[in-house]
Amino acid sequence: MMLHIPQVLSPDQVAELRALIDSAEWVDGNATSGRQSALAKRNLQLAEGSDAARAAGARVLDALERTPMFVAAALPQTVFPPLFNRYGGGHGFGVHVDNAIRQTRDGRTRIRSDLSATLFLTDPEAYDGGELQVEDTFGVHSVKLPAGDMVLYPASSLHEVTPVTRGERVSSFFWIQSMVRSDERRALLFQMDVAIQQLAARVGAGEPELVSLTGSYHNLLRMWSEV
Ligand code: NI
């Protein structure tokens, strides 16, 4: 399931984050790549584990916790510390699949990447190109979102970032290990959760049928989750 999550960060929060990272040290993006993706990748990345990356990453994690749609869709077990990248001057990232296992440099966090996320930190009008293109069984989806918005997609997907031909594209990207490993099951739970919330808003959460449906949601989650 691919999902657009709007307004994870407000315009003010985006501006603050950009001020924090724009003046920091950026290094060759291949610092975090696997061997195959290193061949395809041309971008810059905020030095992993630097003070700026840590402070900015903490802000992104805070924002995620306050975003119910993210929690409902990702059912996060562990979120990898957010990283930041910057594409300009023809930079792009050819078709690749993200590594299945991600580990931080200090070895403290190791996750299975079930979901990939890109949080856009530049408004689309400020650059040309730089579309995130994600392949699934329905074809290729092209994603370019307003600053502060995020896309969530299965980490198993082939994807690429097309070359940026004008301006610069700055984003945060990271991976999530979910409590529910299967994308299909997560999608089902998310659809059920959204329907229950909408129905509850209309008829009141205390209706017996809604209590029963909510119970079914939790019992499915109990059956499918690993925590
Ligand atoms: Ni990738």
Side-chain angles (χ1 to χ4, degrees):
M1 177 179 66
M2 267 187 93
L3 188 68
H4 171 191
I5 304 180
Q7 295 172 332
V8 172
L9 295 173
S10 69
D12 283 351
Q13 288 172 320
V14 171
E16 284 169 25
L17 203 61
R18 286 295 303 268
L20 191 62
I21 63 176
D22 284 356
S23 57
E25 188 202 354
W26 292 78
V27 297
D28 187 329
N30 282 318
T32 56
S33 306
R35 219 179 329 150
Q36 184 220 328
S37 52
L39 298 172
K41 187 177 192 182
R42 284 176 303 130
N43 66 7
L44 294 174
Q45 198 167 297
L46 201 59
E48 194 184 338
S50 64
D51 288 348
R54 228 179 289 227
R59 290 185 184 213
V60 172
L61 291 176
D62 277 354
L64 292 176
E65 279 176 20
R66 292 192 305 266
T67 307
M69 196 182 190
F70 167 76
V71 178
L75 297 168
Q77 165 88 289
T78 310
V79 181
F80 196 81
L83 301 168
F84 297 84
N85 62 18
R86 164 173 238 135
Y87 295 84
H91 283 164
F93 195 165
V95 179
H96 66 281
V97 168
D98 293 343
N99 286 358
I101 307 293
R102 308 291 322 195
Q103 184 164 326
T104 51
R105 285 228 174 138
D106 60 14
R108 273 193 214 153
T109 307
R110 187 170 65 169
I111 66 159
R112 180 189 65 233
S113 57
D114 295 322
L115 292 146
S116 296
T118 299
L119 171 60
F120 289 76
L121 298 174
T122 311
D123 269 318
E125 301 76 43
Y127 61 98
D128 290 332
E131 282 94 3
L132 171 67
Q133 297 198 326
V134 182
E135 289 182 26
D136 69 12
T137 50
F138 285 98
V140 176
H141 305 273
S142 198
V143 184
K144 189 171 186 176
L145 300 176
D149 286 16
M150 186 169 99
V151 62
L152 206 55
Y153 58 99
S156 53
S157 318
L158 281 170
H159 58 277
E160 69 178 304
V161 176
T162 63
V164 171
T165 55
R166 177 186 63 90
E168 268 193 335
R169 171 201 196 262
V170 176
S171 313
S172 177
F173 65 103
F174 48 93
W175 300 275
I176 300 109
Q177 179 170 329
S178 177
M179 293 184 286
V180 176
R181 180 178 182 163
S182 151
D183 178 58
E184 200 177 18
R185 289 176 177 176
R186 266 195 320 271
L188 204 60
L189 286 166
F190 179 63
Q191 284 157 7
M192 196 171 172
D193 191 5
V194 169
I196 288 172
Q197 302 297 335
Q198 288 173 347
L199 205 54
R202 212 178 325 144
V203 301
E207 289 295 309
E209 293 85 352
L210 258 177
V211 174
S212 173
L213 277 173
T214 304
S216 298
Y217 169 86
H218 282 284
N219 289 332
L220 282 172
L221 184 55
R222 208 184 317 276
M223 193 187 302
W224 290 340
S225 58
E226 317 147 51
V227 291

